[in-house]
Amino acid sequence: MVLDIVKLGEDILRQKAEPVAEVNDEIRKLAEDMFDTMIEADGVGLAGPQVGKNLRMFVLIADDDVRRVFINPQIIKTSEELGDYDEGCLSIPQVYETIRRPVRVTVQALNENGKPFTLDADGLLARIIQHEYDHLDGIVFIDRGDKEFAEKTTAQFKKRMERAEQKRKEKEAKARKIAAKIAAKEAKKSK
């Protein structure tokens, strides 16, 4: 099932996610839904907070096409060597910025069956792990780049959310007005 993706400006993206208490069928279903959502949106990674779930988990498919689930992950080692890459995010659509991160990481997590694993990653896989891990701590990729760019982008998304909320309210008001007219017509008919 494809889930709604939370956009920049929504509070959950800035909150520290809670550990997953138990890896069960509900969590496995959430992981599958997250894969469906990520693939539908043409992404390579997706974290729990991005679908409105304040849980420390993320899914990804890197350039090796392997589906990976990370539950309660911990990055235990990063390389001193850094690399630049143009990052984007499903929660901040059509925004890209060059971000510098360690080129290698070691991460420990549980998989979708609750089994612990350790993974040494480099290249795109290491970058996706770090990007999604940041989401679990309330950090979005623009926070790691130019401060002015981050502020400008955040302001733009705040305006988008305000416009969307205004449109939603207008639509609701219009629907109420139509419903009232229909109810009045029905009341006249029944007299």
Side-chain angles (χ1 to χ4, degrees):
M1 179 173 81
V2 175
L3 307 170
D4 290 334
I5 297 175
V6 172
K7 301 294 188 274
L8 182 65
E10 296 186 48
D11 291 342
I12 196 165
L13 284 183
R14 294 305 192 170
Q15 296 170 2
K16 193 171 175 86
E18 297 293 325
V20 173
E22 179 188 358
V23 180
N24 54 27
D25 288 343
E26 187 179 322
I27 292 298
R28 280 186 279 281
K29 171 75 169 108
L30 176 58
E32 278 306 308
D33 291 347
M34 288 170 67
F35 276 119
D36 291 345
T37 304
M38 179 190 79
I39 291 164
E40 176 74 20
D42 202 24
V44 293
L46 191 65
Q50 291 182 275
V51 292
K53 302 295 182 186
N54 195 26
L55 295 171
R56 294 191 74 78
M57 65 181 288
F58 60 84
V59 301
L60 64 81
I61 303 175
D63 45 0
D64 58 3
D65 287 332
V66 176
R67 292 166 65 111
R68 292 184 173 93
V69 177
F70 295 78
I71 298 170
N72 297 335
Q74 288 187 296
I75 293 178
I76 58 171
K77 187 177 173 188
T78 60
S79 66
E80 288 184 25
E81 183 185 352
L82 304 174
D84 293 339
Y85 190 85
D86 272 356
E87 288 189 27
C89 181
L90 296 176
S91 291
I92 313 175
Q94 290 135 13
V95 173
Y96 300 91
E97 185 178 14
T98 302
I99 303 296
R100 177 166 284 191
R101 295 189 188 267
V103 297
R104 286 179 300 286
V105 297
T106 302
V107 62
Q108 290 180 332
L110 301 175
N111 69 14
E112 64 275 20
N113 297 313
K115 291 197 174 169
F117 68 92
T118 301
L119 177 68
D120 293 313
D122 61 11
L124 183 61
L125 179 58
R127 182 160 296 271
I128 298 169
I129 289 169
Q130 292 171 82
H131 178 110
E132 300 309 328
Y133 188 84
D134 275 353
H135 278 298
L136 306 182
D137 289 329
I139 299 167
V140 293
F141 81 98
I142 58 173
D143 298 340
R144 299 217 177 264
D146 178 70
K147 187 178 179 190
E148 194 175 303
F149 179 79
E151 288 170 357
K152 183 176 138 194
T153 302
T154 302
Q156 285 174 339
F157 273 80
K158 184 178 180 189
K159 282 182 187 171
R160 281 187 200 176
M161 281 188 63
E162 288 168 356
R163 283 194 303 266
E165 180 62 17
Q166 183 61 35
K167 283 182 181 178
R168 185 190 65 75
K169 285 179 180 176
E170 289 168 3
K171 194 175 180 181
E172 281 180 4
K174 189 175 181 179
R176 282 194 302 272
K177 207 175 197 178
I178 291 169
K181 282 182 181 178
I182 292 170
K185 273 186 180 179
E186 293 298 319
K188 275 186 181 179
K189 282 183 187 176
S190 63
K191 285 186 180 180

